[in-house]
């Protein structure tokens, strides 16, 4: 272990911040000088460039203009020689304009002349221009005197010579200006190249200075930081005795001192964190992290293990009624009972660990146990909680729901063993959910549960797309009046036409959608289809009603009433012909929230039915408060009732009960003629089932309704 050295202040080793500031300040100053020099050079180059454009190039263009105007003057003179007197007055201004332009350009060039050669060329051009002007005057004089032939000879002779002389002088001046411009461009090019060389040298100097500063900074910073990094790495691996030698009083020295102090603090708190990370704070039992650690380090999975999960069923009620402190006391008491049961296990051949997971869930991890042994452990755990627990002066009966799962031996690395544990825990959680769904005290997880759940999750992810893309179809099953035999309406049943899997049974996706809260997607799709159908029936079959099943989640939603109203308004459908079917269990689970929704639907004119009556736990007190107009008897009471006196008596009682509550009574699942005859005898109002018709696809349903509507007309005509 390195000893902690006291910092030794020295004037030769100033603070790190001062060193960095001085170094980078010098670098910035040097960069500023470079930028200023570059700016000065660029200013000079810009000035030369401006001179090229504004002076030299402009002079060359003016010389070219002299040439053009002299030639224009010659053309105008030629036109004078051949023009009639009446046209000369129009040509003279043109000739004068060309003369004036040439004189003006020569004057401008003469006013900004620099070198002697240019002045000599300009003087020669001006002299030749004056001679040409004199010849021009003589030609014009002869023309005006009427001697056009003499004027032509003068123009073709002396005039052409004078004009060519002017053009030659102009060309000589143009060549000279081009030479001057090329010379100036070469000077600018040389200045640019010189500037580039100087800037390159300055840039190399900046790079060199940067390298020197970086090297010095690396020497003064990275070496101490490397020592700090090595010590931090040792601390991260758990060696809290690692120390950093503090050799200076600068920032790095203080970092070394802080690192040493941190190592001491971390070492002091490691033991406390160990307990917090792997122990449940409330019960003192191991938590999920401890189970994973035991499996990772202890090799449990190599022998195979099984898990018992226990969910305290009434914990939520205890928290709501008696308070969370009492709930915590209950969990502590349950933990002590379970510990006693695990400790008293006779002749245990493998390791056993009791742990608490989040919420009111406990877990028992057992090594190398068969199913029979695990069930014996479950019975012993359950027996420990048979007696009520005393919590804060209250006697609380505790019910546990058990989920059991077993894992296969995993002889791989530590992470494979942990994944095996997670898989078994997940299986036990699924088993608890299955036990709760079936209202059982315990259940084993089977591998098919996971495959089924995976398939259901896949279907659930496709459900929203199916609703928007029209894959959810509404099939119709007729409801028939038992007295008259005519069709009174239809019940809409959902069918899923999956693009890859074909038709999917509602029994496969409806229960799972209800448990996960996604049933509203199906309800919305069926209501849209039902209201669109009713809107179409309003003119052709106004006597028919259409029933749709709704779930418990739907009728607990206060916004469901307005949703139905808006849909009906959009489709312009009569709500008086819409019938919503609800199960009695959905009402009984949360009657206080359901009743206002049902009354709101009834106020809109919607008819309500109790579906699958007799399979739940209806209270007659609640039943008579419901705004329900139809009671539907479940198939289990109808099937074979004609063969049993007891079943016949029970069926009569249900029908009489419905009539006493002023409800229409409908029997479901009628498949035999004898069952239909018995229902007629007992006074049942309506029936539906395979005897009347199976559920019909939309096209088949339209044909059925058309045939049913035509049947009364044929009877009346007969």
């Amino acid at each position: 272990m390195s000893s902690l050295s006291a910092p030794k202040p020295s004037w030769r080793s100033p603070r790190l911040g001062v060193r960095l500031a001085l170094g980078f300040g010098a670098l910035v100053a040097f960069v500023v000088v470079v930028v200023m020099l570059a700016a000065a050079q660029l200013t000079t180059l810009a000035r030369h460039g401006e001179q090229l454009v504004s002076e030299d190039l402009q002079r060359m263009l003016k010389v070219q203009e002299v040439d053009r105007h002299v030639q224009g003057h010659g053309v105008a003179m030629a036109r004078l020689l051949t023009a009639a007197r009446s046209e000369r007055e129009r040509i003279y201004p043109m000739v004068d304009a060309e003369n004036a332009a040439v004189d003006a350009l020569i004057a401008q060039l003469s006013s900004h002349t620099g070198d002697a050669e240019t002045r000599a060329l300009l003087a020669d051009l001006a002299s030749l221009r004056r001679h040409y002007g004199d010849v021009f005057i003589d030609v014009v004089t002869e023309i005006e005197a009427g001697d056009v032939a003499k004027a032509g000879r003068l123009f073709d002779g002396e005039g052409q010579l004078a004009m060519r002389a002017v053009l030659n002088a102009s060309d000589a001046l143009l060549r000279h200006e081009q030479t001057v411009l090329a010379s100036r461009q070469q000077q600018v090019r040389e200045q640019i190249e010189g500037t580039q060389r100087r800037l390159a040298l300055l840039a190399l100097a900046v790079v060199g200075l940067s390298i020197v500063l970086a090297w010095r900074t690396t020497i003064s910073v990275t070496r101490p930081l490397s020592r700090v990094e090595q010590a931090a790495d040792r601390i991260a691996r758990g060696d809290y005795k690692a120390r950093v030698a503090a050799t200076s009083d600068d920032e790095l020295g203080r970092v070394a001192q802080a690192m040493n102090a941190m190592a001491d603090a971390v070492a002091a708190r490691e033991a406390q964190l160990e307990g917090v990370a792997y122990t449940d704070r409330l019960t003192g039992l191991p938590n999920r992290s401890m189970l994973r650690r035991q499996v990772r380090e202890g090799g449990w999975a190599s022998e195979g293990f099984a898990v018992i999960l226990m969910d305290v069923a009434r914990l939520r009620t205890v928290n709501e009624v008696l308070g969370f402190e009492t709930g915590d006391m209950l969990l502590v008491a349950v933990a002590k009972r379970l510990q006693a049961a695990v400790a008293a296990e006779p002749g245990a051949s493998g390791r056993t660990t009791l742990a608490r997971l989040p919420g009111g869930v406990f877990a028992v991890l057992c090594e190398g146990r068969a199913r029979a042994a695990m069930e014996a452990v479950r019975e012993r755990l359950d027996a420990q909680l048979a007696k009520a627990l005393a919590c804060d002066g209250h006697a609380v009966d505790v019910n546990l729901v058990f989920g059991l799962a077993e894992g296969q031996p995993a002889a791989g690395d530590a992470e494979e063993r942990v994944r095996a544990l997670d898989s078994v825990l997940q299986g036990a959680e699924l088993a608890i959910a299955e036990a709760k769904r079936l209202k059982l005290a315990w259940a084993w997880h089977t591998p098919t549960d996971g495959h089924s759940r995976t398939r259901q999750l896949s279907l659930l992810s496709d459900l929203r797309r199916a609703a928007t893309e029209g894959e959810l179809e509404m099939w119709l099953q007729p409801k028939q009046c038992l007295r008259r035999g005519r069709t009174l309406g239809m019940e809409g049943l959902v069918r899923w036409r999956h693009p890859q899997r074909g038709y999917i049974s509602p029994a496969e996706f409806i229960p799972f959608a209800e448990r996960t809260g996604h049933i509203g997607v199906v309800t919305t799709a069926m209501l849209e289809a039902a209201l669109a159908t009713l809107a179409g029936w309003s003119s052709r079959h106004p006597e028919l009603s259409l029933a749709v099943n709704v779930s418990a989640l739907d009728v607990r939603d206060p916004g469901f009433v307005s949703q139905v109203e808006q849909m009906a308004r959009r489709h312009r459908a009569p709500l008086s012909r819409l019938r919503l079917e609800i199960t009695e269990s959905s009402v009984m689970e949360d009657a206080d929230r359901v009743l206002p929704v049902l009354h709101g639907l009834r106020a809109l004119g919607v008819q309500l039915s109790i579906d699958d009556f007799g399979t739940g736990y209806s209270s007659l007190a609640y039943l008579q408060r419901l705004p329900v107009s139809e009671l539907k008897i479940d198939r289990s009471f109808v099937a074979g009732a004609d063969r049993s006196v007891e079943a016949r008596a029970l069926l009569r009682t249900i029908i009489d009960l419905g009539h006493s509550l002023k409800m229409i009574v409908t029997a479901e699942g009628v498949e035999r003629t004898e069952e239909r005859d018995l229902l007629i005898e007992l006074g049942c109002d309506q029936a539906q089932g395979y005897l009347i018709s199976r559920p019909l696809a939309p096209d088949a349903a339209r044909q059925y309704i058309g045939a049913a509507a035509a049947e009364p007309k044929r009877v009346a005509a007969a």
Side-chain angles (χ1 to χ4, degrees), residues 77-152:
M77 286 294 298
R79 290 180 61 187
L80 276 176
L81 292 173
T82 59
R85 181 176 294 275
S86 59
E87 295 181 7
R88 293 173 188 166
E89 295 179 357
R90 183 172 57 83
I91 297 174
Y92 280 132
M94 298 170 58
V95 174
D96 294 338
E98 296 292 350
N99 277 330
V102 172
D103 294 339
L105 288 171
I106 292 174
Q108 292 175 7
L109 291 171
S110 300
S111 63
H112 297 90
T113 300
D115 59 284
E117 185 177 356
T118 301
R119 288 195 297 273
L121 290 172
L122 277 172
D124 185 37
L125 176 62
S127 174
L128 293 172
R129 165 68 186 92
R130 287 193 295 274
H131 174 66
Y132 177 71
D134 293 340
V135 174
F136 159 69
I137 293 173
D138 293 339
V139 171
V140 170
T141 301
E142 294 298 334
I143 290 172
E144 290 301 324
D147 193 351
V148 176
K150 184 178 180 180

Side-chain angles (χ1 to χ4, degrees), residues 62-235:
K62 289 177 181 179
V63 173
Q64 291 177 337
E65 285 290 309
V66 169
D67 196 318
R68 185 175 64 82
H69 284 296
V70 169
Q71 292 179 358
H73 182 272
V75 172
M77 286 294 298
R79 290 180 61 187
L80 276 176
L81 292 173
T82 59
R85 181 176 294 275
S86 59
E87 295 181 7
R88 293 173 188 166
E89 295 179 357
R90 183 172 57 83
I91 297 174
Y92 280 132
M94 298 170 58
V95 174
D96 294 338
E98 296 292 350
N99 277 330
V102 172
D103 294 339
L105 288 171
I106 292 174
Q108 292 175 7
L109 291 171
S110 300
S111 63
H112 297 90
T113 300
D115 59 284
E117 185 177 356
T118 301
R119 288 195 297 273
L121 290 172
L122 277 172
D124 185 37
L125 176 62
S127 174
L128 293 172
R129 165 68 186 92
R130 287 193 295 274
H131 174 66
Y132 177 71
D134 293 340
V135 174
F136 159 69
I137 293 173
D138 293 339
V139 171
V140 170
T141 301
E142 294 298 334
I143 290 172
E144 290 301 324
D147 193 351
V148 176
K150 184 178 180 180
R153 288 192 300 274
L154 181 61
F155 176 75
D156 291 335
E158 188 176 357
Q160 289 295 326
L161 292 175
M163 184 173 66
R164 279 195 295 272
V166 172
L167 291 176
N168 291 335
S170 174
D171 290 340
L173 179 61
L174 177 61
R175 287 192 297 272
H176 176 70
E177 292 294 338
Q178 289 174 342
T179 302
V180 171
L181 180 61
S183 175
R184 187 68 55 83
Q185 288 176 335
Q186 181 62 29
Q187 292 177 2
V188 171
R189 188 178 301 109
E190 291 174 354
Q191 288 180 348
I192 291 175
E193 292 174 353
T195 300
Q196 289 176 341
R197 288 192 295 271
R198 287 189 290 273
L199 290 178
L201 291 174
L202 291 174
L204 289 175
V206 171
V207 171
L209 180 61
S210 301
I211 292 174
V212 172
L213 289 175
W215 178 75
R216 292 301 302 270
T217 303
T218 301
I219 294 299
S220 61
V221 175
T222 58
R223 287 181 180 176
L225 284 180
S226 177
R227 293 194 295 270
V228 172
E229 181 183 5
Q230 293 172 3
D233 184 60
R234 293 172 58 188
I235 293 172

Side-chain angles (χ1 to χ4, degrees), residues 563-579:
Q563 180 184 357
V564 173
E565 183 180 13
Q566 291 172 5
M567 287 184 187
R569 187 180 298 113
R570 187 169 62 251
H571 290 285
R572 298 182 180 179
L575 284 175
S576 60
R577 290 293 175 180
L578 176 66
R579 185 176 293 277

